[in-house]
Amino acid sequence: MKITRPGFTSFAIIDPSKKVQEDGQYVMFVVSETDDIEQLIEDARKRNFEIRYHYTNVENEEGGFVPVRLIITEIPPGHVQPFHTHENCYEITVVEQGEVAYIEDDFLDRENRQELKDLSKTLTKGDMVFDNLGRRHTVANFSAAYSRVVTTQTPKPHNLKFTPD
C-alpha cells in the first residue's frame, strides 16, 4: 500500500467570469511549491470558482508510474466548462455530488445556455459518462449548488487488457 498526502500533485483554480486564456482565468498551483493551500481553496469556493485537484504521476510501491490521471473537480453553480476534445486519452467521469449537465456537440457555443440545457444529459450522483475519443464535449452545472465529479484519464491503450483478480 502507498499513501500520499495531500495526494494531489497540483490544483487549478478557474475563474468562470473570465474568458478562456484570459489572464487569471486558469491558475495552476504545484502542491510542493505552494503555501497555505487550504486558504487558497477556501477563498476560491467563496468566490464560486471551479477547483480541480490533479492526481498525476501516480507511483506504485516499486517506483514505477501507473498510466492514470485522476482529477476531482468542484464545479460552481452556473458554470459551463469550455468545450474540448481528447485525442490521446480516454476519459471517464463519475458524479460524486450534485448534478451536472453533459453535452456533446461539434458546433455549440458555451454561452448559449438554453441550447446547452436543451441538448444536455443530466447526470446525478453515481452516474458515469465515458467520453469518446475526438468528440467535442463539456460539462455544466445549472443547479444552485456546487457539484463534484471524479474524472479518470488513461492513455489510449495499446493492447492493454485487464486480468480479473
Side-chain angles (χ1 to χ4, degrees):
M1 175 182 345
K2 182 172 178 82
I3 299 173
T4 56
R5 288 205 172 88
F8 52 95
T9 51
S10 61
F11 62 102
I13 295 176
I14 298 127
D15 182 346
S17 70
K18 295 187 176 188
K19 293 181 180 174
V20 175
Q21 297 183 354
E22 182 180 341
D23 190 42
Q25 183 264 339
Y26 186 102
V27 181
M28 178 72 80
F29 298 89
V30 176
V31 170
S32 63
E33 300 170 0
T34 306
D35 295 325
D36 212 7
I37 295 168
E38 293 83 9
Q39 189 62 51
L40 284 168
I41 291 170
E42 183 180 324
D43 291 346
R45 281 192 196 111
K46 286 179 183 174
R47 298 172 71 189
N48 280 339
F49 287 3
E50 179 176 323
I51 305 163
R52 293 185 193 167
Y53 306 88
H54 298 262
Y55 297 75
T56 56
N57 300 324
V58 178
E59 190 176 337
N60 62 28
E61 290 178 326
E62 294 80 36
F65 288 96
V66 179
V68 66
R69 180 171 137 176
L70 298 173
I71 306 164
I72 298 175
T73 306
E74 296 180 20
I75 306 170
H79 180 54
V80 179
Q81 292 182 345
F83 275 94
H84 59 282
T85 61
H86 304 283
E87 299 294 337
N88 297 313
C89 72
Y90 292 108
E91 184 173 81
I92 298 168
T93 300
V94 177
V95 178
E96 185 178 79
Q97 173 186 318
E99 71 177 40
V100 296
Y102 179 83
I103 305 108
E104 270 190 357
D105 190 88
D106 291 331
F107 305 105
L108 258 180
D109 183 312
R110 73 182 217 164
E111 302 303 321
N112 190 338
R113 290 182 177 270
Q114 189 56 54
E115 200 168 5
L116 291 173
K117 288 179 184 179
D118 292 344
L119 294 174
S120 69
K121 304 289 183 200
T122 300
L123 307 173
T124 58
K125 185 177 179 175
D127 287 344
M128 180 186 85
V129 64
F130 176 84
D131 294 318
N132 292 311
L133 289 173
R135 287 289 295 166
R136 185 175 180 265
H137 64 276
T138 191
V139 296
N141 179 358
F142 295 124
S143 76
Y146 261 94
S147 61
R148 184 174 26 243
V149 298
V150 178
T151 301
T152 304
Q153 293 179 333
T154 59
K156 188 175 170 182
H158 299 281
N159 301 321
L160 178 66
K161 291 185 182 180
F162 284 103
T163 305
D165 292 344

